[in-house]
Amino acid sequence: EADIYQTPRYLVIGTGKKITLECSQTMGHDKMYWYQQDPGMELHLIHYSYGVNSTEKGDLSSESTVSRIRTEHFPLTLESARPSHTSQYLCASSELEGAKNIQYFGAGTRLSVL
Amino acid sequence: GESVGLHLPTLSVQEGDNSIINCAYSNSASDYFIWYKQESGKGPQFIIDIRSNMDKRQGQRVTVLLNKTVKHLSLQIAATQPGDSAVYFCAERPGGYNKLIFGAGTRLAVHP
């Protein structure tokens, strides 16, 4: 069982508010990821990090930003939330083992912007 | 309640039957593939993986088959149980990258 935690689990917030979604892992993994997933749909990578002070944008454009100051922590921030940001956000981490790349996921944060 | 999975293909099986979930991947250079199970309200959970130099890999009650000729991946679940009901995603890793590209998902519904 993976030790990766996301808070909050659910968030309902008004338009224009600044929010930060938290993600922490205790496995010492170098690589961390943020995905956006609409209900029942596929996961889209929006940000990833290969280690401290490393962040990259993913395949799906997102207005959110991320930071990686500590190995275990990879928060995602929206400066001004909009209804189009309503979605589920999933955080994952992995450690490359040769050719394998098993990503372990948190339970997700379901965001609703009114 | 939320509207979930309106666009998802659904596989309905009887408890005890074998299930086969299929996935077509896009990149012929992908070198690693992985299946995840996602239950309602949870994050995806790793099931089984396979490298591109293999055709088949077995786990506990699950088997993954890889056909590189037609870029097809399948997940077989033996003696399907109600607890197997979930959405299943395949993912591929394009060669040389440390990222996964996820497919659209298939909902498995197990009936008693």
Side-chain angles (χ1 to χ4, degrees):
Chain A
E1 193 70 26
D3 295 321
I4 180 162
Y5 307 100
Q6 291 186 242
T7 57
R9 287 295 316 277
Y10 304 92
L11 181 61
V12 181
I13 202 161
T15 297
K17 299 293 185 182
K18 177 180 179 179
I19 60 169
T20 297
L21 308 185
E22 302 288 348
C23 177
S24 295
Q25 50 97 5
T26 59
M27 297 169 285
H29 287 168
D30 287 332
K31 296 165 186 58
M32 296 189 74
Y33 312 83
W34 275 103
Y35 291 87
Q36 186 173 338
Q37 182 187 32
D38 290 328
M41 304 297 285
E42 65 261 46
L43 284 70
H44 293 288
L45 182 68
I46 53 175
H47 298 283
Y48 61 99
S49 168
Y50 287 163
V52 171
N53 295 325
S54 153
T55 61
E56 301 287 344
K57 289 192 177 295
D59 302 318
L60 180 68
S61 176
S62 174
E63 294 169 342
S64 58
T65 59
V66 292
S67 62
R68 190 89 183 275
I69 299 173
R70 303 197 315 268
T71 297
E72 63 271 23
H73 195 213
F74 191 39
L76 180 146
T77 298
L78 274 167
E79 290 292 333
S80 179
R82 296 207 299 268
S84 61
H85 296 139
T86 294
S87 189
Q88 173 160 258
Y89 293 84
L90 290 160
C91 181
S93 71
S94 72
E95 188 64 56
L96 271 183
E97 299 175 32
K100 297 167 75 71
N101 185 15
I102 300 172
Q103 293 184 15
Y104 297 95
F105 285 83
T109 294
R110 187 169 297 282
L111 173 66
S112 294
V113 184
L114 307 178
Chain B
E2 63 180 15
S3 59
V4 176
L6 290 181
H7 307 285
L8 276 178
T10 298
L11 175 65
S12 294
V13 300
Q14 292 292 120
E15 182 178 356
D17 286 352
N18 296 333
S19 303
I20 300 176
I21 301 171
N22 296 303
C23 176
Y25 63 92
S26 58
N27 192 329
S28 57
S30 290
D31 62 359
Y32 175 75
F33 304 87
I34 191 166
W35 280 99
Y36 284 93
K37 171 186 181 184
Q38 187 175 25
E39 296 174 276
S40 181
K42 297 183 179 180
Q45 179 184 5
F46 167 75
I47 302 173
I48 192 168
D49 59 356
I50 188 168
R51 301 180 192 182
S52 60
N53 61 355
M54 303 172 68
D55 298 323
K56 178 180 179 178
R57 188 157 186 245
Q58 288 184 291
Q60 189 174 19
R61 274 201 315 118
V62 294
T63 300
V64 55
L65 298 177
L66 175 62
N67 185 331
K68 295 181 286 295
T69 302
V70 295
K71 293 190 286 188
H72 183 267
L73 195 67
S74 68
L75 177 71
Q76 300 178 1
I77 304 173
T80 313
Q81 303 168 359
D84 295 326
S85 294
V87 176
Y88 289 80
F89 291 96
C90 67
E92 62 181 301
R93 183 181 69 183
Y97 293 90
N98 291 322
K99 298 186 291 182
L100 294 176
I101 299 174
F102 283 80
T106 297
R107 178 176 302 283
L108 177 65
V110 182
H111 303 286

